[in-house]
Coordinates of all heavy atoms in Angstrom, one line a residue:
M1 N -34.9 -2.9 5.6 CA -34.3 -4.2 5.1 C -33.5 -3.8 3.8 O -32.4 -4.3 3.6 CB -35.4 -5.2 4.8 CG -34.8 -6.4 4.4 SD -35.9 -7.7 4.8 CE -35.2 -9.0 3.9
V2 N -34.0 -2.9 3.1 CA -33.3 -2.5 1.8 C -32.1 -1.7 2.2 O -31.0 -1.8 1.6 CB -34.3 -1.8 0.9 CG1 -33.5 -1.2 -0.3 CG2 -35.4 -2.7 0.4
F3 N -32.2 -0.9 3.2 CA -31.1 0.0 3.6 C -30.0 -0.9 4.2 O -28.8 -0.6 3.9 CB -31.6 1.1 4.7 CG -30.5 1.9 5.1 CD1 -30.0 2.9 4.3 CD2 -29.9 1.8 6.4 CE1 -29.0 3.8 4.7 CE2 -28.9 2.6 6.8 CZ -28.4 3.6 6.0
G4 N -30.3 -1.9 4.9 CA -29.2 -2.8 5.4 C -28.5 -3.5 4.3 O -27.3 -3.7 4.4
S5 N -29.2 -4.0 3.4 CA -28.6 -4.6 2.2 C -27.7 -3.6 1.4 O -26.6 -4.0 1.0 CB -29.7 -5.2 1.4 OG -29.1 -5.7 0.1
F6 N -28.2 -2.4 1.2 CA -27.4 -1.4 0.5 C -26.1 -1.1 1.3 O -25.0 -0.9 0.7 CB -28.3 -0.1 0.3 CG -27.5 0.9 -0.4 CD1 -27.2 0.8 -1.8 CD2 -27.2 2.1 0.3 CE1 -26.6 1.8 -2.4 CE2 -26.6 3.1 -0.4 CZ -26.2 2.9 -1.7
L7 N -26.2 -0.9 2.6 CA -25.1 -0.6 3.5 C -24.1 -1.7 3.4 O -22.9 -1.5 3.3 CB -25.5 -0.4 4.9 CG -24.5 0.1 5.9 CD1 -24.0 1.5 5.4 CD2 -25.1 0.3 7.2
F8 N -24.5 -3.0 3.5 CA -23.6 -4.1 3.4 C -22.9 -4.2 2.1 O -21.8 -4.5 2.0 CB -24.4 -5.4 3.7 CG -23.6 -6.6 3.8 CD1 -22.8 -6.9 4.8 CD2 -23.7 -7.6 2.7 CE1 -22.0 -8.0 4.8 CE2 -22.9 -8.7 2.7 CZ -22.0 -8.9 3.8
S9 N -23.6 -3.8 1.0 CA -23.1 -3.8 -0.3 C -22.0 -2.8 -0.4 O -20.9 -3.0 -1.0 CB -24.2 -3.5 -1.3 OG -23.7 -3.2 -2.5
I10 N -22.2 -1.6 0.1 CA -21.2 -0.5 0.1 C -20.0 -0.9 0.9 O -18.8 -0.7 0.5 CB -21.8 0.8 0.7 CG1 -22.9 1.3 -0.2 CG2 -20.7 1.8 0.9 CD1 -22.5 1.7 -1.6
I11 N -20.1 -1.6 2.1 CA -19.0 -2.0 2.9 C -18.2 -3.1 2.2 O -17.0 -3.0 2.2 CB -19.5 -2.5 4.3 CG1 -20.1 -1.4 5.0 CG2 -18.4 -3.3 5.0 CD1 -20.8 -1.8 6.4
L12 N -18.9 -4.0 1.4 CA -18.1 -5.0 0.7 C -17.3 -4.3 -0.5 O -16.2 -4.7 -0.7 CB -19.1 -6.0 0.1 CG -19.5 -7.1 1.1 CD1 -20.5 -8.0 0.4 CD2 -18.3 -7.8 1.7
W13 N -17.9 -3.3 -1.1 CA -17.2 -2.6 -2.2 C -16.0 -1.9 -1.7 O -14.9 -2.0 -2.3 CB -18.1 -1.5 -2.9 CG -18.8 -2.0 -4.0 CD1 -20.2 -2.5 -4.1 CD2 -18.3 -2.2 -5.3 NE1 -20.4 -2.9 -5.3 CE2 -19.3 -2.8 -6.2 CE3 -17.1 -1.9 -5.9 CZ2 -19.1 -3.0 -7.5 CZ3 -16.9 -2.2 -7.2 CH2 -17.9 -2.7 -8.0
I14 N -16.1 -1.3 -0.5 CA -15.0 -0.5 0.1 C -13.9 -1.5 0.4 O -12.7 -1.3 0.2 CB -15.4 0.3 1.3 CG1 -16.3 1.5 0.8 CG2 -14.2 0.8 2.1 CD1 -16.9 2.2 1.9
A15 N -14.2 -2.6 1.1 CA -13.2 -3.6 1.5 C -12.5 -4.3 0.2 O -11.3 -4.4 0.2 CB -13.9 -4.8 2.3
G16 N -13.3 -4.5 -0.8 CA -12.8 -5.0 -2.1 C -11.8 -4.1 -2.7 O -10.8 -4.5 -3.2
L17 N -12.2 -2.8 -2.8 CA -11.3 -1.8 -3.3 C -10.0 -1.6 -2.5 O -8.9 -1.4 -3.1 CB -12.0 -0.5 -3.5 CG -13.1 -0.4 -4.6 CD1 -13.8 0.9 -4.5 CD2 -12.5 -0.7 -6.0
F18 N -10.1 -1.7 -1.2 CA -8.9 -1.6 -0.4 C -8.0 -2.8 -0.6 O -6.8 -2.6 -0.8 CB -9.3 -1.5 1.1 CG -8.1 -1.4 2.0 CD1 -7.4 -0.1 2.0 CD2 -7.7 -2.4 2.8 CE1 -6.3 0.0 2.8 CE2 -6.6 -2.2 3.7 CZ -6.0 -1.0 3.7
I19 N -8.5 -4.0 -0.8 CA -7.7 -5.1 -1.0 C -7.0 -5.0 -2.4 O -5.9 -5.3 -2.6 CB -8.5 -6.4 -0.9 CG1 -8.9 -6.7 0.6 CG2 -7.7 -7.6 -1.4 CD1 -9.8 -7.7 0.8
L20 N -7.8 -4.6 -3.4 CA -7.3 -4.4 -4.7 C -6.2 -3.4 -4.7 O -5.1 -3.5 -5.4 CB -8.4 -3.9 -5.6 CG -8.1 -3.8 -7.1 CD1 -7.7 -5.2 -7.7 CD2 -9.3 -3.2 -7.9
Y21 N -6.3 -2.3 -4.0 CA -5.3 -1.2 -3.8 C -4.0 -1.8 -3.3 O -2.9 -1.6 -3.8 CB -5.8 0.0 -3.0 CG -4.7 0.9 -2.6 CD1 -4.1 1.8 -3.4 CD2 -4.1 0.8 -1.2 CE1 -3.2 2.7 -3.1 CE2 -3.1 1.7 -0.9 CZ -2.6 2.6 -1.8 OH -1.6 3.4 -1.5
I22 N -4.1 -2.7 -2.3 CA -2.9 -3.3 -1.6 C -2.2 -4.2 -2.7 O -1.0 -4.1 -2.8 CB -3.3 -4.0 -0.4 CG1 -3.7 -3.0 0.7 CG2 -2.2 -4.9 0.1 CD1 -4.3 -3.7 1.9
V23 N -3.0 -5.0 -3.4 CA -2.4 -5.9 -4.3 C -1.7 -5.2 -5.5 O -0.6 -5.5 -5.8 CB -3.5 -6.9 -4.8 CG1 -3.0 -7.6 -6.0 CG2 -4.0 -7.8 -3.8
I24 N -2.3 -4.2 -6.0 CA -1.8 -3.4 -7.1 C -0.5 -2.6 -6.7 O 0.5 -2.6 -7.4 CB -2.8 -2.5 -7.8 CG1 -3.9 -3.3 -8.5 CG2 -2.2 -1.5 -8.7 CD1 -5.0 -2.5 -9.0
S25 N -0.6 -2.0 -5.5 CA 0.6 -1.3 -5.1 C 1.8 -2.2 -4.8 O 2.9 -1.8 -5.2 CB 0.3 -0.4 -3.8 OG 0.0 -1.2 -2.7
A26 N 1.5 -3.3 -4.3 CA 2.6 -4.3 -4.0 C 3.1 -4.8 -5.3 O 4.4 -4.9 -5.5 CB 2.2 -5.5 -3.2
A27 N 2.3 -5.1 -6.3 CA 2.7 -5.5 -7.6 C 3.6 -4.5 -8.3 O 4.6 -4.8 -9.0 CB 1.6 -5.9 -8.5
V28 N 3.2 -3.2 -8.3 CA 3.9 -2.2 -9.0 C 5.2 -1.9 -8.3 O 6.2 -1.8 -9.0 CB 3.1 -0.9 -9.0 CG1 3.9 0.3 -9.4 CG2 1.9 -1.0 -9.9
R29 N 5.3 -1.9 -7.0 CA 6.5 -1.8 -6.3 C 7.4 -2.9 -6.6 O 8.7 -2.6 -6.9 CB 6.2 -1.7 -4.7 CG 7.4 -1.3 -3.9 CD 7.1 -1.2 -2.4 NE 5.9 -0.4 -2.2 CZ 4.9 -0.9 -1.6 NH1 4.8 -2.2 -1.1 NH2 3.8 -0.1 -1.3
D30 N 7.0 -4.1 -6.5 CA 7.8 -5.3 -6.8 C 8.2 -5.2 -8.3 O 9.4 -5.6 -8.6 CB 7.0 -6.6 -6.6 CG 7.9 -7.7 -6.4 OD1 9.0 -7.5 -5.9 OD2 7.5 -8.8 -6.7
G31 N 7.4 -4.8 -9.2 CA 7.8 -4.8 -10.6 C 8.8 -3.7 -10.9 O 9.7 -3.9 -11.7
I32 N 8.7 -2.6 -10.2 CA 9.7 -1.5 -10.4 C 11.1 -2.0 -9.9 O 12.1 -1.8 -10.5 CB 9.3 -0.2 -9.7 CG1 8.1 0.3 -10.6 CG2 10.5 0.8 -9.6 CD1 7.5 1.5 -9.9
N33 N 11.1 -2.6 -8.7 CA 12.3 -3.1 -8.1 C 13.0 -4.1 -8.9 O 14.3 -4.3 -9.0 CB 12.1 -3.6 -6.6 CG 11.8 -2.4 -5.7 OD1 12.1 -1.3 -6.0 ND2 11.2 -2.8 -4.6
K34 N 12.3 -5.0 -9.6 CA 12.9 -6.1 -10.4 C 13.1 -5.7 -11.8 O 13.7 -6.5 -12.6 CB 12.0 -7.3 -10.4 CG 11.9 -7.9 -9.0 CD 11.1 -9.2 -8.9 CE 11.2 -9.8 -7.6 NZ 10.3 -11.0 -7.5
S35 N 12.7 -4.5 -12.3 CA 13.0 -4.1 -13.7 C 14.4 -3.7 -13.9 O 15.2 -3.6 -12.9 CB 12.0 -2.9 -14.0 OG 12.5 -1.8 -13.4
V36 N 14.7 -3.6 -15.2 CA 16.1 -3.2 -15.5 C 16.4 -1.8 -14.9 O 17.5 -1.6 -14.4 CB 16.3 -3.2 -17.1 CG1 17.6 -2.7 -17.5 CG2 16.1 -4.6 -17.5
A37 N 15.5 -0.9 -15.1 CA 15.7 0.5 -14.6 C 15.9 0.5 -13.1 O 16.7 1.2 -12.5 CB 14.6 1.4 -15.1
G38 N 15.0 -0.3 -12.4 CA 15.1 -0.4 -11.0 C 16.4 -1.0 -10.5 O 17.0 -0.5 -9.5
Q39 N 16.9 -2.0 -11.2 CA 18.2 -2.6 -10.8 C 19.3 -1.6 -11.1 O 20.2 -1.5 -10.3 CB 18.4 -3.8 -11.8 CG 17.4 -5.0 -11.6 CD 17.7 -5.7 -10.3 OE1 18.8 -5.8 -9.9 NE2 16.6 -6.2 -9.7
F40 N 19.2 -0.9 -12.1 CA 20.2 0.2 -12.4 C 20.3 1.2 -11.3 O 21.4 1.6 -10.9 CB 20.0 0.8 -13.8 CG 20.9 2.0 -14.1 CD1 22.3 1.7 -14.4 CD2 20.5 3.2 -14.1 CE1 23.1 2.7 -14.7 CE2 21.4 4.3 -14.4 CZ 22.7 4.0 -14.7
I41 N 19.2 1.7 -10.9 CA 19.1 2.7 -9.9 C 19.7 2.2 -8.6 O 20.3 2.9 -7.9 CB 17.7 3.2 -9.7 CG1 17.3 4.0 -11.0 CG2 17.5 4.1 -8.5 CD1 15.8 4.5 -11.1
E42 N 19.3 0.9 -8.3 CA 19.8 0.3 -7.0 C 21.3 0.2 -7.0 O 22.0 0.5 -6.0 CB 19.2 -1.0 -6.7 CG 17.8 -1.0 -6.2 CD 17.3 -2.4 -5.9 OE1 18.1 -3.4 -6.0 OE2 16.1 -2.5 -5.6
T43 N 21.9 -0.2 -8.2 CA 23.4 -0.3 -8.3 C 24.1 1.0 -8.2 O 25.1 1.1 -7.7 CB 23.8 -1.2 -9.5 OG1 23.3 -0.6 -10.7 CG2 23.3 -2.6 -9.4
K44 N 23.5 2.0 -8.9 CA 24.1 3.3 -9.0 C 24.0 4.0 -7.7 O 25.0 4.7 -7.3 CB 23.5 4.1 -10.1 CG 24.2 5.4 -10.4 CD 23.7 6.1 -11.7 CE 24.6 7.3 -11.9 NZ 24.2 8.0 -13.1
Y45 N 22.8 4.1 -7.2 CA 22.6 5.0 -5.9 C 22.5 4.2 -4.6 O 22.5 4.8 -3.6 CB 21.3 5.8 -6.2 CG 21.4 6.8 -7.3 CD1 20.7 6.5 -8.4 CD2 22.3 7.9 -7.3 CE1 20.7 7.4 -9.5 CE2 22.4 8.7 -8.4 CZ 21.6 8.4 -9.5 OH 21.7 9.3 -10.6
G46 N 22.5 3.0 -4.7 CA 22.3 2.2 -3.5 C 20.9 2.1 -3.1 O 20.0 2.6 -3.7
I47 N 20.6 1.2 -2.2 CA 19.3 0.8 -1.7 C 18.8 1.9 -0.6 O 19.6 2.0 0.4 CB 19.2 -0.6 -1.2 CG1 19.5 -1.5 -2.4 CG2 17.7 -0.9 -0.7 CD1 19.6 -3.0 -2.0
K48 N 17.8 2.5 -0.9 CA 17.2 3.4 0.2 C 16.4 2.6 1.2 O 15.7 1.7 0.8 CB 16.4 4.5 -0.5 CG 17.1 5.5 -1.3 CD 16.3 6.5 -1.8 CE 17.0 7.5 -2.7 NZ 16.2 8.6 -3.2
K49 N 16.4 3.1 2.4 CA 15.6 2.5 3.5 C 14.2 2.8 3.1 O 13.8 3.9 2.9 CB 15.9 3.0 4.8 CG 15.1 2.4 6.0 CD 15.5 3.0 7.3 CE 14.7 2.4 8.4 NZ 13.3 2.8 8.3
E50 N 13.3 1.8 3.2 CA 11.9 2.0 2.9 C 11.3 2.8 4.1 O 11.6 2.5 5.3 CB 11.1 0.7 2.8 CG 11.6 0.0 1.5 CD 10.8 -1.3 1.2 OE1 9.7 -1.5 1.9 OE2 11.2 -2.1 0.4
R51 N 10.3 3.6 3.8 CA 9.7 4.3 4.9 C 8.7 3.4 5.6 O 8.1 2.5 5.0 CB 8.9 5.5 4.3 CG 9.7 6.6 3.8 CD 8.9 7.7 3.2 NE 7.5 7.7 3.4 CZ 6.7 8.5 2.9 NH1 7.0 9.4 2.0 NH2 5.3 8.4 3.1
D52 N 8.6 3.6 6.9 CA 7.6 2.8 7.7 C 6.2 3.2 7.2 O 5.9 4.3 7.0 CB 7.8 3.0 9.2 CG 9.1 2.5 9.6 OD1 9.7 1.6 9.0 OD2 9.5 3.0 10.7
S53 N 5.4 2.2 7.1 CA 4.0 2.5 6.8 C 3.3 3.0 8.1 O 3.8 2.9 9.2 CB 3.3 1.1 6.3 OG 3.1 0.2 7.4
F54 N 2.1 3.5 7.8 CA 1.3 4.0 8.9 C 0.9 2.9 9.9 O 0.7 3.2 11.1 CB 0.1 4.8 8.5 CG -1.0 3.9 7.9 CD1 -2.0 3.5 8.7 CD2 -1.0 3.5 6.6 CE1 -3.0 2.7 8.3 CE2 -2.0 2.7 6.1 CZ -3.0 2.3 6.9
L55 N 1.0 1.6 9.5 CA 0.6 0.6 10.4 C 1.8 0.2 11.3 O 1.6 -0.3 12.4 CB 0.3 -0.7 9.6 CG -1.0 -0.6 8.8 CD1 -1.2 -1.8 7.9 CD2 -2.2 -0.4 9.6
E56 N 3.0 0.5 10.9 CA 4.2 0.2 11.7 C 4.7 1.3 12.6 O 5.4 1.1 13.5 CB 5.4 -0.2 10.7 CG 5.1 -1.4 9.9 CD 6.1 -1.7 8.9 OE1 7.0 -0.8 8.6 OE2 6.1 -2.8 8.3
R57 N 4.2 2.5 12.3 CA 4.6 3.6 13.2 C 3.8 3.6 14.5 O 2.6 3.3 14.5 CB 4.4 5.0 12.4 CG 5.4 5.2 11.4 CD 5.2 6.5 10.8 NE 4.3 6.3 9.7 CZ 3.6 7.2 9.1 NH1 3.7 8.5 9.4 NH2 2.8 6.9 8.1
D58 N 4.4 3.9 15.5 CA 3.8 4.0 16.8 C 3.3 5.4 17.1 O 4.1 6.4 16.8 CB 4.7 3.5 17.9 CG 4.0 3.3 19.2 OD1 2.7 3.3 19.3 OD2 4.7 3.0 20.2
L59 N 2.2 5.6 17.7 CA 1.7 6.9 18.0 C 2.5 7.6 19.0 O 2.5 8.8 19.2 CB 0.2 6.9 18.4 CG -0.7 6.5 17.3 CD1 -2.1 6.4 17.8 CD2 -0.6 7.5 16.1
D60 N 3.2 6.8 19.9 CA 4.0 7.3 20.9 C 5.4 7.9 20.6 O 6.1 8.5 21.3 CB 4.2 6.3 22.0 CG 2.9 5.9 22.7 OD1 1.9 6.7 22.7 OD2 2.8 4.8 23.2
N61 N 5.8 7.6 19.3 CA 7.1 8.0 18.9 C 7.1 9.5 18.6 O 6.1 10.0 18.1 CB 7.5 7.3 17.5 CG 7.9 5.9 17.8 OD1 8.1 5.5 18.9 ND2 8.0 5.1 16.7
D62 N 8.1 10.2 19.1 CA 8.2 11.7 18.9 C 9.3 12.0 17.9 O 10.1 12.9 18.1 CB 8.5 12.3 20.2 CG 7.3 12.2 21.2 OD1 6.2 12.1 20.7 OD2 7.6 12.2 22.4
K63 N 9.3 11.3 16.8 CA 10.2 11.5 15.8 C 9.9 12.7 14.9 O 8.8 13.1 14.7 CB 10.4 10.4 14.8 CG 11.1 9.2 15.6 CD 11.2 8.0 14.5 CE 11.9 6.9 15.2 NZ 12.0 5.7 14.4

């Protein structure tokens, strides 16, 4: 019974940290794109195509 509670606690920590990672990475990316330096880089060099995330890539693609 103690082991199940401990395992559930660990799973909740991992899920929470993953959600926190997603929120922070999105905030940082959005903050950089909207900053003065980010705007300058976009106007000078153009907008680069974002890489596909591992969730959007298909395993059947042979790229």
Side-chain angles (χ1 to χ4, degrees):
M1 184 155 168
V2 173
F3 181 71
S5 172
F6 181 71
L7 186 62
F8 184 71
S9 165
I10 296 294
I11 291 172
L12 282 178
W13 267 99
I14 291 172
L17 289 174
F18 182 70
I19 290 171
L20 186 64
Y21 168 75
I22 290 172
V23 168
I24 290 174
S25 67
V28 168
R29 188 178 312 119
D30 199 30
I32 290 172
N33 289 341
K34 290 183 179 178
S35 71
V36 175
Q39 297 283 328
F40 175 72
I41 291 172
E42 280 185 6
T43 57
K44 185 171 182 176
Y45 298 110
I47 299 173
K48 292 183 179 180
K49 181 184 177 292
E50 294 182 15
R51 293 181 5 193
D52 293 337
S53 71
F54 70 94
L55 296 173
E56 295 172 351
R57 282 183 275 166
D58 192 8
L59 293 176
D60 295 335
N61 287 345
D62 291 332
K63 290 183 179 178

